[in-house]
Amino acid sequence: MRHSNRWSALLLAGVIAAGCGESALEAPRGSAEETADISQQLSSSTRPGMGATVYAGGTTFRVWAPMASRVFVSGDFNGWGTWIELGNEFNGNFSGDVAGAVKGQKYKFITRNQWGGDAWRADPRSAWQENSTGSSIIYDHGEYWWNAQQYSNPGFNEMIIYEMHVGTFHDSPGFGPGNWNSAIARLDHIRDLGANMIKVMPAYEFAGDFSWGYNAAFPFAPESAYGHPNDMKRFVDEAHMRGIGVIFDVVHNHYGPSDLPMWCFSGDCLGSGGEYFYNDWRKSTPWGDTRPDYGRPEVRAYIRDSMMNLTHSFRGDGLRWDATKYMRTQNGSDTTAIPDAWRVFRSINREINATQPWKISIAEDFGGGDSITNDATSDTSGGAGFDSQWGGDFVHAIRAAVIASNDSGRDMNAVRNAITQRYSGRHTARVIYSESHDEVANGKARVPEEIWPGNAGSWAAKKRSTLAAGVVFTSPGIPMIFQGQEFLEDGYFQDTDPVDWGKNSTYSGIRTLYRDLIRLRRNWFNNTRGLRGGNVNVHHVNNSGKVIAYHRWENGGPGDDVVIVANFSGTYFPSYNIGFPRGGMWYARFNSDWNGYSGDFGNTASIDTVAYSGAKDGLSHNASFAIGPYSLVIFSQ
């Protein structure tokens, strides 16, 4: 995870200060001052729920403010002119049932610190915000009527992930960002492409309207610029009706750092950010001094509830945890370990496995290795318990192999290692890709752009970027692409630069290539089952000729065994010979050099071939065929 350049500029400009003062959230116009009239003094509520929970005839308010002496609530329901005092539960929580407070009404808390000072606060568990500096709004999660009642997730070995940024996925330049409803209008495109999971970049309320989303300020409230909370639910609902699951990106390695409702919430900053945050050396992250205090049970519950809000209230089908390395360490180095974070990983992943095991939990860690995806034997022992993690060892080797300007710079041994690498002995324990939001920004660009800057539509850029995609969809792991990759989006990712949907027509053949790869990966025609299996044997590595071949299978046999041949050179081979695992006819199911994908492709006749008896590459049979430059061919029986 990295923030956009725009967000970095805001940090440098000192915006961080806006969220860190005790009175950062001003009282609404017309509300009382510190001498306000206390209209009611409520007993603590016996109803469950944190934040604002609607009941028939009113709303229960409950907030954790362990160092506050008193807590009040005020809002539309009392004209903002008086304060309603919440009852002290003497466990750090203050609560009360406010009759007449109904959904859609705005509210804020007022916390009184131990020195008698008052400060207006938005609700740290706000389910709906007018914006990141505005009031919280009462929202009833029960009001949305779900249409897709029969949806079920694909198995982890059948998942194809499409990474999406809501603000730029389907938008026009100028005015506000894209939103849930504009994204819904393009869901048919994702369905027709064949992707069956969407990974949504962070969509919880953040400062401003344009952002990557990794500066989340309200980890329970959907970003207001993207629409109403019901719009976010409708996005999930519409995806489910098309057979597509939704994985939400979540950020708990830091918050903000600006516009934070939880900053110094009780009015005692403890020398830094107060009770929600570490207040010693552990507070510091590359994005501000706002790392949550994983050692506090109440903060762990806050994180857990935010996660379960997505998988239950919003019916999300998985979670992708951003930068877990910066949860378990202070600065990315194991010498600055924060052991408390492992309790967060293990407890939440164990709960997901116990209650909704078909939902996937993915880490972005880049450093923890097998420990991240090893089972969590308990909340305090074992691995972190993630189902999968982003495969950094894969993406860097594959990008290097296709971006290198000369064939001599392409390392087939590194490609072999990328194809065979796995975590925790499970092929689904890694997510593999050639493009992601991180890999196409932060000084890097889209793969076609990296291959030929300023000429991403060139033959070389098309050939080598689709070669990388071919390896993604034929290697063990969970394949992922980034929005627009399927029609050769160029440049680099920015939160203010919408996807150019005109390229969907210009490069419709490239889109078809991706569709065909996805269909084969999903065993669409019941003749490439091995591509979703866990077995791989890279049996042919020609580092001088820059050709690699590998055998994939699930159980083995006709319709299961798959042989992939990838030519990473600019050389055309009229008759290339490799080993095959069995004799007989092998059908060319896919040839990336077909000119139906692009008119300037060579249309090399990589046709069906017969494997004859004779050992080659450690296999019992061998066959010869033509293969074009920078091309990938898939054979099966």
Side-chain angles (χ1 to χ4, degrees):
M1 178 274 289
R2 298 290 186 272
H3 293 308
S4 65
N5 293 335
R6 179 179 183 276
W7 180 241
S8 299
L10 289 175
L11 291 181
L12 292 173
V15 174
I16 185 172
C20 299
E22 288 188 12
S23 58
L25 295 176
E26 299 295 333
R29 181 175 296 178
S31 60
E33 301 296 333
E34 291 183 3
T35 57
D37 175 35
I38 310 301
S39 63
Q40 289 179 269
Q41 291 182 312
L42 301 176
S43 300
S44 59
S45 176
T46 59
R47 291 185 168 92
M50 298 292 293
T53 307
V54 175
Y55 64 88
T59 297
T60 298
F61 294 95
R62 179 174 283 106
V63 67
W64 181 59
M67 293 177 291
S69 62
R70 300 168 75 181
V71 176
F72 311 88
V73 67
S74 188
D76 290 342
F77 42 81
N78 64 350
W80 295 96
T82 57
W83 298 1
I84 300 171
E85 182 168 4
L86 302 178
N88 192 339
E89 297 183 2
F90 300 102
N91 59 1
N93 291 337
F94 292 80
S95 66
D97 300 327
V98 179
V102 297
K103 63 183 182 181
Q105 292 184 324
K106 299 175 184 177
Y107 70 97
K108 284 187 178 179
F109 293 117
I110 306 99
T111 58
R112 178 165 297 171
N113 65 22
Q114 54 188 308
W115 304 285
D118 295 330
W120 288 78
R121 307 286 186 190
D123 185 355
R125 289 175 177 260
S126 172
W128 182 12
Q129 280 294 119
E130 58 176 341
N131 54 59
S132 63
T133 59
S135 297
S136 302
I137 306 173
I138 300 170
Y139 174 67
D140 181 6
H141 272 293
E143 74 177 53
Y144 183 83
W145 179 259
W146 293 88
N147 291 299
Q149 301 295 332
Q150 304 301 319
Y151 174 78
S152 59
N153 264 12
F156 295 169
N157 68 325
E158 297 177 334
M159 289 182 173
I160 308 290
I161 301 174
Y162 188 99
E163 187 182 20
M164 173 193 295
H165 175 254
V166 174
T168 58
F169 176 61
H170 184 207
D171 186 32
S172 300
F175 305 103
N179 53 54
W180 296 113
N181 288 325
S182 67
I184 288 169
R186 288 288 187 181
L187 286 179
D188 285 354
H189 167 84
I190 298 175
R191 177 201 62 199
D192 295 345
L193 189 66
N196 54 17
M197 302 294 290
I198 295 170
K199 200 284 287 184
V200 179
M201 287 174 68
Y204 274 147
E205 185 69 48
F206 48 73
D209 293 342
F210 293 89
S211 169
W212 286 21
Y214 292 102
N215 55 323
F218 290 82
F220 289 81
E223 166 57 33
S224 52
Y226 293 169
H228 189 282
N230 286 349
D231 293 334
M232 181 162 145
K233 290 184 176 181
R234 191 167 78 87
F235 175 87
V236 177
D237 209 7
E238 293 283 348
H240 285 174
M241 286 190 281
R242 291 164 173 80
I244 303 170
V246 178
I247 300 168
F248 286 109
D249 205 330
V250 294
V251 189
H252 295 286
N253 51 70
H254 76 290
Y255 296 132
S258 68
D259 297 0
L260 299 178
M262 67 289 271
W263 188 266
C264 301
F265 188 78
S266 294
D268 184 346
C269 292
L270 298 174
S272 187
E275 62 268 35
Y276 279 86
F277 303 94
Y278 286 118
N279 293 281
D280 56 17
W281 59 273
R282 293 170 293 183
K283 68 185 178 184
S284 297
T285 79
W287 311 283
D289 292 346
T290 57
R291 180 178 282 111
D293 185 347
Y294 310 125
R296 286 183 181 265
E298 296 88 351
V299 176
R300 292 199 301 272
Y302 182 74
I303 294 170
R304 176 265 175 202
D305 292 351
S306 172
M307 302 285 207
M308 298 306 164
N309 185 48
L310 289 170
T311 61
H312 290 78
S313 298
F314 287 94
R315 298 198 180 183
D317 305 290
L319 302 169
R320 181 267 191 188
W321 300 44
D322 178 66
T324 53
K325 180 189 288 187
Y326 289 92
M327 295 177 70
R328 59 183 181 83
T329 72
Q330 183 264 325
N331 64 8
S333 167
D334 288 337
T335 61
T336 60
I338 302 177
D340 296 338
W342 290 85
R343 191 178 185 97
V344 178
F345 302 152
R346 291 164 175 155
S347 61
I348 294 174
N349 286 328
R350 282 168 59 84
E351 181 174 354
I352 292 172
N353 287 339
T355 59
Q356 297 178 306
W358 57 90
K359 297 191 175 183
I360 192 166
S361 183
I362 304 169
E364 181 210 28
D365 195 88
F366 301 143
D370 288 354
S371 69
I372 302 301
T373 41
N374 284 346
D375 289 342
T377 55
S378 72
D379 288 357
T380 56
S381 64
F386 287 97
D387 298 307
S388 194
Q389 59 179 309
W390 277 25
D393 292 334
F394 181 91
V395 61
H396 298 143
I398 300 304
R399 280 176 68 100
V402 298
I403 290 171
S405 57
N406 296 312
D407 288 352
S408 61
R410 311 187 206 287
D411 185 350
M412 294 302 96
N413 292 306
V415 171
R416 175 198 60 203
N417 295 340
I419 292 169
T420 59
Q421 184 269 338
R422 65 181 60 199
Y423 297 111
S424 303
R426 305 191 309 272
H427 68 288
T428 57
R430 67 173 187 167
V431 174
I432 55 176
Y433 50 93
S434 59
E435 292 194 4
S436 72
H437 69 271
D438 267 342
E439 295 296 334
V440 300
N442 301 308
K444 294 176 283 188
R446 300 279 189 155
V447 172
E449 189 76 23
E450 293 275 6
I451 292 169
W452 194 336
N455 200 1
S458 64
W459 176 87
K462 287 183 287 190
K463 288 293 294 181
R464 281 157 39 198
S465 66
T466 55
L467 173 59
V471 178
V472 168
F473 286 108
T474 56
S475 295
I478 299 175
M480 181 179 75
I481 64 172
F482 185 57
Q483 60 180 31
Q485 179 180 344
E486 70 276 20
F487 45 76
L488 224 67
E489 183 64 291
D490 57 14
Y492 64 93
F493 171 59
Q494 304 175 75
D495 55 32
T496 55
D497 183 14
V499 168
D500 181 0
W501 282 92
K503 290 185 174 68
N504 188 40
S505 298
T506 304
Y507 300 110
S508 60
I510 301 297
R511 183 194 67 238
T512 301
L513 180 150
Y514 275 83
R515 183 206 66 183
D516 290 351
L517 282 169
I518 289 172
R519 287 181 173 183
L520 291 168
R521 174 61 178 74
R522 292 181 60 185
N523 192 32
W524 198 276
F525 306 106
N526 199 33
N527 55 20
T528 52
R529 190 176 303 110
L531 291 180
R532 69 184 189 189
N535 299 301
V536 62
N537 173 26
V538 181
H539 59 282
H540 182 90
V541 180
N542 179 354
N543 198 41
S544 59
K546 307 305 177 186
V547 178
I548 193 166
Y550 44 106
H551 171 208
R552 294 289 317 284
W553 73 98
E554 186 173 53
N555 300 311
D560 189 309
D561 285 304
V562 180
V563 173
I564 302 97
V565 188
N567 179 10
F568 279 78
S569 80
T571 302
Y572 161 72
F573 294 98
S575 181
Y576 199 90
N577 182 260
I578 66 163
F580 277 76
R582 194 171 46 256
M585 179 67 73
W586 286 80
Y587 298 94
R589 308 296 186 185
F590 174 86
N591 171 19
S592 68
D593 199 41
W594 179 46
N595 64 5
Y597 296 139
S598 184
D600 55 355
F601 285 7
N603 209 31
T604 298
S606 295
I607 59 175
D608 307 340
T609 187
V610 176
Y612 296 100
S613 180
K616 181 70 182 289
D617 299 327
L619 300 179
S620 59
H621 292 72
N622 72 89
S624 299
F625 47 86
I627 186 168
Y630 306 124
S631 298
L632 182 138
V633 182
I634 300 173
F635 293 101
S636 74
Q637 288 191 309

